[in-house]
Amino acid sequence: NNVFLSRLPNMASITVDGVQLSPAVERLPVAYDAATPGMLETLRMTLLRGRDIADTDRADAPTVAVVNETFVLRFLPDADAIGRRFSFGSVQSEDDWITIVGVVRDARRSGPTEEVRPYVFLPFQQMSQRRMSVLVRTASDPVAIMPQLRSVVRDIDPNVPVVDLRLLQEDVDAALSTRRFLMLLITGFGVAALVLAAVGVYGVMAYIVGRRTREIGVRMALGAAPRVVQREVVLRAMMQAGAGVALGLGVTLLLADVLRAQVFRLSPTDPATLGAVAVLLLGLAAVSSWLPARRAARVDPLVALRSE
């Protein structure tokens, strides 16, 4: 009954039968939605234990619910959730209790970047709402069947309006649009920084080689092999780049908590990511210093000495 990916779903605090919740846990809100049978299958949600909402869960039947893993871990960590009872708010009578009949795997109901909340699905017939969203899964092009969907609803009740017919993927894209823009912006700055770093390393090494032209000429005149000169120039650049990478990694670890809020399903201290970045930067330094190193290895000793 509430659009998925909404950051403000239906929420309320609960009371759990036979469990004395701490004040902090008792105040935690639980998100909930009314749903009809087949909703879990349509969204490909995994039922871990118990059963799905059924057609027998009518208004005159005992109130039941399907909850997610986070609900169980937070409110019933030491017990089997199936058959346990809870209530939204305080309990005034036995009819207020809701029996858990199923547990589904956690899903990010409020969006890919939002934390997983304790979540409850209630049978629509036991919690009917004025406004509902109909979810349809199709093997064919979903856009092509939209006119048919309108026709089906019109045949059932021509007075029911069908508004905002769209793909669920569009909701996902809208939920991620701001973060994607920020990531593109950060990526642009990152690429610009890499280019500036490459130009900077090349410029510094070219300057160093230019200042050492006479020294290199003397060494080569005394028999130094070109590859030795080239290796020395590259090694000097790599030492400086290594010091810079080590400093950057240290700053990254210090700012890990700030960066963690900006990445999705990735730790800012992930060893593979940090290792890949370090290798990329060192490789960039090696390539940027290779051209000045090659030029230094090709210096004609006579020309170098004559230039002074």
Side-chain angles (χ1 to χ4, degrees), residues 168-219:
L168 189 58
Q169 185 60 47
E170 294 176 0
D171 284 353
V172 175
D173 293 339
L176 295 176
S177 59
T178 301
R179 189 172 294 270
R180 281 174 174 166
F181 173 75
L182 291 176
M183 290 300 101
L184 287 175
L185 196 62
I186 293 174
T187 300
F189 283 129
V191 171
L194 283 176
V195 173
L196 289 176
V199 173
V201 171
Y202 175 80
V204 170
M205 296 312 301
Y207 175 76
I208 292 175
V209 170
R211 291 290 303 271
R212 296 179 59 198
T213 299
R214 186 172 184 275
E215 173 196 341
I216 292 173
V218 171
R219 291 182 58 189

Side-chain angles (χ1 to χ4, degrees), residues 89-161:
S90 59
V91 179
Q92 304 298 328
S93 68
E94 282 294 312
D95 294 336
D96 293 335
W97 289 117
I98 302 171
T99 303
I100 299 173
V101 295
V103 178
V104 295
R105 191 180 302 281
D106 279 340
R108 296 179 181 270
R109 178 247 180 274
S110 296
T113 61
E114 299 297 321
E115 65 175 342
V116 177
R117 295 186 175 97
Y119 202 78
V120 173
F121 289 114
L122 300 166
F124 170 72
Q125 295 189 70
Q126 296 179 351
M127 183 194 169
S128 59
Q129 301 289 310
R130 296 178 58 189
R131 180 185 176 91
M132 296 293 292
S133 297
V134 178
L135 303 176
V136 179
R137 176 179 290 274
T138 173
S140 59
D141 181 11
V143 177
I145 70 165
M146 286 185 178
Q148 296 175 257
L149 296 178
R150 292 184 182 274
S151 177
V152 168
V153 174
R154 187 167 55 249
D155 291 342
I156 296 173
D157 189 341
N159 295 319
V160 174

Side-chain angles (χ1 to χ4, degrees), residues 71 76 88 126 167 181 189 192-193 202 217 256 288-289:
F71 181 101
L76 297 166
F88 287 105
Q126 296 179 351
L167 303 180
F181 173 75
F189 283 129
Y202 175 80
S288 300
S289 61

Side-chain angles (χ1 to χ4, degrees), residues 13-14 17 23 48 58 67 88 125 159 172 183 193 199 217 241 243 269:
S13 59
I14 68 169
D17 187 17
L48 300 177
R58 297 185 296 269
V67 302
F88 287 105
Q125 295 189 70
N159 295 319
V172 175
M183 290 300 101
V199 173
T269 58

